[in-house]
């Protein structure tokens, strides 16, 4: 089952399976993993509330509690949204698998292969970045213990955790349980983020590949139609009509292209309906977190370990925002390329039947396909720039508040 999908996007299947979000897992394993992951994230909220309540007069603790609360919310929202839209995710995976059996021309397969390779590269880069952040976060609490062994003092060094947390107990006495719990919460959140966001990359890249393949095929068909017109000895096209046999072949090929175009549009509609609510929420959460993490970077400029941690978090936030926005921009560009290919055709050389198909193509592709956050905000590079600009504005406001 899903042989084509597993062949091209197996890394996405593995990432979703780790957190129980792969819709084709066995029901028992899927429900068990989901329960564990959600319990880890949801049970972390009370301790963040304790941190905020007990340190309300400390601006640094407020900012720590704020960005951690947003991270936990984003992890939980990703998991719940994927569970809620499990049927749509199944539809997307099945559609991707079937598309590889429909788009079988050499040109189409080559284009789709290129995009699946691009998707894997983006996915691997994102996974490496998340694992690097995870390693830094896990290493922070262990550093004082290792230093005590390598370079011991007369007294033990003060211990800290990867995240600021308030359990209302002596942290030194309960260091190991707290360390294991916070590490499990971070690990669960990272796994959820990698699975959901990388699946979004894969689906968007596949949608782009469909439009790119169709665009290439339309260009080839139009080129074939132009080459089949017979020029006179003076270089002019005396007979503007195609040979009946060639015209029939080209007409059939164009019909097939239009049907594939319809498949691509339907796939984008499912993709947009699957991620539009989550995309809107992520835009808002990323906007807030970029500002808050930026403030924390200013506070730890003299602490190399903390500075490295927050710089990696800041980079991950910007990269995650880029994933959300760039995928929509690339999809918009590829879908609009079909319009440009058809518009550049020498339509006056075609038969009336092919002209009618050309008009249908222009009409369908005049408005580019794309992804929207909450049916309102188009996901594109302009939105990326707008969110970063707003984040910097909030950063300035938070900075003045802290002072």
């Amino acid at each position: 089952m899903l042989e084509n999908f597993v062949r091209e996007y197996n890394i996405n299947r593995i990432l979703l399976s780790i957190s129980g979000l792969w819709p084709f897992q066995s029901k028992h394993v899927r429900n068990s993993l989901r329960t564990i992951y959600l319990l880890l994230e949801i049970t972390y909220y009370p301790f963040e509330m304790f941190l905020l309540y007990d340190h309300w007069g400390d601006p640094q603790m407020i900012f720590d509690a704020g960005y951690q609360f947003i991270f936990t919310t984003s992890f939980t929202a990703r998991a719940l949204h994927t569970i809620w839209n499990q049927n749509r995710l199944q539809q997307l995976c099945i559609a991707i698998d079937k598309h590889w059996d429909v788009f079988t021309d050499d040109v189409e397969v080559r284009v789709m292969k290129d995009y699946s390779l691009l998707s894997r590269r983006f996915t691997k880069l994102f996974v490496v970045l998340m694992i690097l952040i995870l390693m830094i976060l896990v290493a922070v609490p262990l550093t004082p213990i290792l230093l005590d062994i390598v370079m011991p003092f007369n007294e033990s060094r003060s211990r800290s955790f990867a995240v600021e947390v308030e359990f209302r107990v002596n942290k030194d006495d309960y260091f190991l349980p707290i360390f294991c719990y916070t590490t499990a919460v971070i690990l669960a959140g990272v796994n959820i983020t990698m699975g959901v966001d990388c699946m979004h990359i894969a689906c968007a890249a596949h949608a782009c590949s469909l439009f790119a393949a169709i665009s290439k095929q339309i260009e080839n068909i139009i080129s074939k139609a132009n080459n089949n017109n017979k020029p006179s000895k003076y270089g002019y096209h005396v007979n503007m009509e195609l040979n009946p046999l060639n015209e029939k072949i080209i007409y059939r090929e164009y019909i097939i292209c239009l049907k594939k175009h319809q498949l691509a549009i339907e796939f984008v509609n499912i993709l947009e309906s699957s991620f539009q609510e989550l995309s809107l929420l992520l835009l808002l959460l990323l906007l807030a977190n970029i500002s808050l993490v930026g403030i924390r970077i200013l506070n730890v400029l003299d602490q190399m370990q903390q500075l490295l941690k927050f710089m990696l978090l800041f980079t991950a936030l910007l990269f995650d925002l880029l994933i959300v926005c760039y995928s929509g921009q690339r999809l918009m560009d590829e879908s609009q390329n079909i319009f440009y290919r058809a518009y550049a055709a020498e339509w006056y050389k075609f038969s009336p039947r092919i002209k009618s198909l050309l008009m249908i193509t222009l009409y369908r592709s005049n408005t580019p396909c794309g992804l929207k956050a909450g049916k309102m905000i188009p996901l594109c590079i302009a939105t990326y720039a707008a969110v970063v600009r707003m984040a910097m504005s909030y950063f300035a406001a938070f900075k003045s508040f802290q002072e």
Side-chain angles (χ1 to χ4, degrees):
M1 186 179 182
L2 300 178
E3 293 180 2
N4 297 319
F5 182 93
V6 172
R7 184 186 67 244
E8 302 297 331
Y9 303 105
N10 190 44
I11 187 171
N12 300 97
R13 180 189 66 82
I14 293 172
L15 292 174
L16 286 173
S17 299
I18 292 172
S19 50
L21 299 177
W22 177 244
F24 300 97
Q25 281 176 285
S26 74
K27 189 174 181 180
H28 177 72
V29 173
R30 186 173 68 230
N31 291 338
S32 299
L33 288 173
R34 288 175 179 178
T35 303
I36 293 171
Y37 275 69
L38 285 174
L39 281 176
L40 281 171
E41 296 302 324
I42 292 172
T43 56
Y44 196 66
Y45 279 110
F47 306 118
E48 292 176 342
M49 294 297 183
F50 291 155
L51 178 66
L52 192 61
Y53 181 80
D54 293 348
H55 302 275
W56 184 250
D58 187 347
Q60 180 174 324
M61 288 298 182
I62 292 175
F63 286 120
D64 277 334
Y67 89 80
Q68 290 170 189
F69 184 87
I70 292 173
F71 267 120
T72 307
T73 302
S74 68
F75 299 152
T76 308
R78 283 181 172 95
L80 291 175
H81 185 272
T82 305
I83 294 170
W84 182 262
N85 291 278
Q86 176 179 303
N87 292 334
R88 287 176 180 170
L89 182 59
Q90 284 181 335
Q91 290 178 355
L92 288 172
C93 295
I94 293 171
I96 291 173
D97 187 72
K98 288 183 178 178
H99 289 160
W100 284 90
D101 294 327
V102 174
F103 291 73
T104 55
D105 185 86
D106 291 340
V107 174
E108 295 171 343
V109 171
R110 186 168 63 252
V111 171
M112 293 172 70
K113 283 281 187 182
D114 290 341
Y115 269 94
S116 67
L117 179 61
L118 180 65
S119 169
R120 281 198 295 274
R121 287 175 179 171
F122 259 94
T123 299
K124 289 177 181 178
L125 180 61
F126 186 62
V127 169
V128 168
L129 179 60
M130 296 302 290
I131 291 176
L132 185 59
I133 292 173
L134 180 63
M135 291 174 62
I136 294 294
L137 292 175
V138 172
V140 168
L142 298 178
T143 302
I145 299 175
L146 296 176
L147 289 176
D148 284 340
I149 297 174
V150 177
M151 301 172 58
F153 286 163
N154 293 331
E155 57 184 20
S156 298
R157 292 176 172 85
S158 60
R159 297 177 180 180
S160 60
F161 295 95
V163 292
E164 289 293 338
V165 64
E166 182 57 66
F167 289 93
R168 293 183 173 177
V169 296
N170 190 314
K171 294 180 181 179
D172 291 331
D173 294 340
Y174 295 92
F175 176 80
L176 185 58
I178 294 175
F179 170 74
C180 293
Y181 175 71
T182 54
T183 302
V185 170
I186 295 170
L187 182 61
V190 168
N191 282 332
I192 291 170
T193 300
M194 289 192 300
V196 175
D197 289 7
C198 290
M199 188 63 193
H200 186 268
I201 294 174
C203 291
H206 180 74
C208 290
S209 72
L210 299 182
F211 286 111
I214 294 165
S215 177
K216 194 69 177 176
Q217 283 293 67
I218 288 177
E219 183 183 24
N220 292 341
I221 291 171
I222 290 174
S223 176
K224 187 187 298 184
N226 288 333
N227 292 335
N228 276 280
N229 284 279
K230 297 178 181 179
S232 68
K233 62 181 180 179
Y234 300 105
Y236 299 103
H237 290 266
V238 178
N239 180 17
M240 305 303 286
E241 298 293 332
L242 295 174
N243 179 284
L245 180 59
N246 290 334
E247 194 271 346
K248 189 175 182 180
I249 294 173
I250 292 172
Y251 181 79
R252 287 179 177 175
E253 289 180 353
Y254 212 128
I255 287 290
I256 293 172
C257 244
L258 287 180
K259 290 180 178 179
K260 291 178 179 179
H261 189 208
Q262 184 61 35
L263 286 177
I265 294 173
E266 290 173 358
F267 180 79
V268 172
N269 290 336
I270 299 173
L271 178 60
E272 183 179 15
S273 62
S274 300
F275 286 95
Q276 60 185 2
E277 296 90 356
L278 180 61
S279 298
L280 178 60
L281 179 61
L282 288 181
L283 285 181
L284 297 175
L285 295 178
L286 287 168
L287 168 64
N289 246 5
I290 289 172
S291 306
L292 293 173
V293 173
I295 290 293
R296 293 298 289 120
I297 290 174
L298 290 182
N299 294 333
V300 296
L301 291 176
D302 56 342
Q303 305 172 36
M304 183 56 64
Q305 192 178 52
Q306 292 292 323
L307 179 62
L308 178 61
K309 180 184 82 170
F310 283 111
M311 285 298 296
L312 283 173
L313 285 176
F314 191 79
T315 303
L317 289 170
L318 290 178
F319 193 81
D320 201 19
L321 179 61
L322 181 64
I323 288 173
V324 174
C325 295
Y326 179 72
S327 56
Q329 180 68 56
R330 190 64 179 264
L331 179 57
M332 193 183 302
D333 294 340
E334 290 295 354
S335 65
Q336 203 161 28
N337 276 341
I338 295 177
F339 177 84
Y340 295 141
R341 301 284 188 189
Y343 185 78
E346 297 177 345
W347 57 269
Y348 50 84
K349 297 179 182 179
F350 302 156
S351 67
R353 291 205 304 173
I354 296 180
K355 287 178 184 176
S356 65
L357 296 182
L358 195 64
M359 290 176 63
I360 294 173
T361 305
L362 290 171
Y363 177 77
R364 283 186 175 181
S365 57
N366 184 34
T367 303
C369 290
L371 303 176
K372 288 185 178 180
K375 297 184 180 180
M376 299 179 294
I377 305 172
L379 298 178
C380 57
I381 295 301
T383 301
Y384 177 85
V387 171
V388 173
R389 187 165 57 249
M390 290 179 64
M392 293 301 102
S393 300
Y394 284 113
F395 168 80
F398 289 145
K399 187 173 183 297
S400 62
F401 168 76
Q402 187 182 35
E403 293 172 354

